[in-house]
Amino acid sequence: MKLTTKLMAATALVAAPAVQAAELEVTHWWTSGGEAAAVAELAEAWEAAGNTWIDGAIAGSGGTARPIIISRIIGGDPMAATQLNHGRQAEELIEAGLLTDLTEVAEANNWAEIINPPSLLEACTFEGRVYCAPLNIHSAQWLWLSRDAYETAGVDVPNDWNEFVAAAPALEEAGIVPLAMGQQGWQQNIAFGDITVAIAGVDNMLAVLRDKDADVAAGPEYTAVFEAVATARELARDSNVQDWNLATNMVITGQAGGQLMGDWAQGEFQVAGQVAGEDYECLPGLGLNQVLDTGGDAFYFPVIDDEETRAAQLEMAEMLVSPEVQVAFNLAKGSLPVRGDVDLSAANDCMQKGLAILASGDGILPSGDMALSQDSTIQVEDLMAEFWSSDMSAADAQERYVDIISSAD
Amino acid sequence: MSDHVSDPSAPAKRPVQLFRNLSAKIASIPMILTALVVFVGGTAWTVVHSFTSSRMLPKLEFVGFDQYERLWSTRRWMISIENLAIYGVCSLILTLLIGFTLAALLDRKIRFENTFRTIFLYPFALSFVVTGLAWQWILNPDFGLQSVVRDWGWESFAFDPLNNSEIVIFGILIAGIWQGSGLIMCIMLAGLRGIDEDIWKAARVDGIGTVKTYVRVIIPMMRPVFITALVLIASGIIKLYDLVVAQTNGGPGISSEVPAKYVIEYMFRAQNLGQGFAASTMMLVSVIVILIPWAYLEFGGRKRG
């Protein structure tokens, strides 16, 4: 495979020595309907410049794809470009010198000024050098609500988490599950993160996630968080689906009142033909705390010992952040652009809410990916998986969370 | 065995030991290298790195027993070990019991033996992933076994192991036994067929009952067959992974986690090689702890006898 590619490249070089056409293999895990459409936008823009895009889509979620991508890079068979979530996932690859330094592109295109929020570029920066091109923003702090469910139960659609909890008994009486929840650790961890932001606030969350302050994690604010999560657990008792999109489907069909999930859930509502503000409602920061994290996707370029490939990699990095690509890609994917100076008037109500929060600038926090290592994240996910599926008390869960935070690095 | 067969044409000269059976020795070099480099070398490398703080990439920063301390204070690991112990003991006993019983029944010269043998062996032809998914559906309370029995009129019937964290491991056990007992049956059947007809005749002449003949005479004679079966079952138990992934993916919560899954998750998903290696070293240690006394009894005993 690798040899064939090389031979083909060699043949192409011999056949057309004058054309500066670059052929880059790009790996990613965007395989669902909306995601594939978004990738097609990238490939189109890349090929419009006279280059060739070799698509290396890996089916399955990031959890499946990431080990494959990383072992290819470590194993000496690197692709030319790859999607990864920005944050600490790539730290060690950078330390080992396996990723291409993009600083010159970043400086030439003034990324430091245009990329909003700046934390995205910080997540790509390691010891002062830039190693990835941020592509989009996904945030996890959303409560999605079904208008249908609340009309059936005869109560108003809640405006924040507290109203949501207060309205739950009415929903239960009408035979509706108040909170849809997929029984998987990462989803339960998202719900935990959402409730943390809403109840403990940004400062406390940052103290725990970024500064690893175990005292704050053991403090009264976090006690309130764990009690709220315990309440959420009761509200989700009758939800026994596994996958997140099945849980979203419960909200779409009105079997459930709401779901705590990232903005990618919006793709499901769109596919089902639902309209934001009419069929479903969204509450960023659970309506209590208007904040969004700024996780998302970025492209990394593994080091390939070939000057021409390196030039093409830099060219692609430049293209990914360009205004045209940002608009086309993010409208297709339903995510938010990484620069504030592009026009996204075609976006729907919920995306507009997100854009407004980003534009205001104070409701932005780094995602857990950026602050906690993958190792600690898995430990928290395990704790949440156990907590949600058992009768563990909020105090016990908090105690174990404090242990994880105090040993985190 | 044939060490002292002397060559009559060269009676005075003793052949150089190293070059005896030269072609056979050359032929086995690749396997010896594989065994040394891949198995022994790889194992040693893993054990050494389990004492380091390796994260995504292996590196030699030694941290002593830190990884092991963390491992044994992790609740998920303790649950994994407990699950494996329950699964192991039950699977070992039940698979042997069911396998032998089926084989003994088939050995009674019944009609359609071939058909039954194929049916019993068939599950073994499926991969664990298929078995896991099939049993996930069968045990699903909404459209599996429970709903079928309720439709028959037993309204209060409740059998929902996969959603109950107390008994979920038994749901996996059922699937594991369904898959594994067919093979054990075939091995036992082969063993039974190897027993001389005269033994049966002698037992009959002495007036010993059929069951008693099996227990007192036949089973002791089948010792090598039982050991083969035991090794096969035990290796299946320790590497239990794909069945769990397909059937419950460790859920509900983390109540059906197993050690092999812990290793994979920490090596690749948590990007913490040191922790994964520590867990896999513990798996190796547990195998050795069981294997050494057994090997001593099995081989050490025979030499004396």
Side-chain angles (χ1 to χ4, degrees), chain A residues 140 142-144 161 164 176-195 228-252 255-262 264 286 381 384-390, chain B residues 163 252-253:
Chain A
W142 295 86
L143 175 57
W144 306 94
W161 176 254
F164 176 80
I176 296 167
V177 182
L179 183 66
M181 173 59 69
Q183 305 295 322
Q184 291 168 347
W186 68 272
Q187 296 179 51
Q188 292 152 342
N189 191 27
I190 281 184
F192 168 65
D194 291 359
I195 293 173
V229 177
T231 310
R233 175 174 69 183
E234 294 313 313
L235 300 185
R237 268 285 178 240
D238 295 322
S239 159
N240 48 20
V241 292
Q242 294 287 327
D243 294 314
W244 68 269
N245 50 342
L246 297 181
T248 311
N249 196 50
M250 288 173 73
V251 179
I252 291 173
Q255 296 168 47
Q259 184 192 13
L260 292 163
M261 188 40 64
W264 49 91
L286 313 194
E381 277 180 16
M384 282 300 139
E386 199 186 345
F387 180 75
W388 282 79
S389 70
S390 66
Chain B
N163 290 324

Side-chain angles (χ1 to χ4, degrees), chain B residues 34-52 54 58-60 62 68 274 277-278 280-281 284 288:
Chain B
T34 311
L36 281 181
V37 175
V38 178
F39 296 134
V40 180
T43 307
W45 189 89
T46 303
V47 173
V48 167
H49 279 83
S50 73
F51 292 101
T52 68
S54 301
K59 54 188 168 201
L60 285 170
F62 288 97
Y68 291 90
F277 289 159
S280 58
T281 307
L284 178 70
I288 291 174

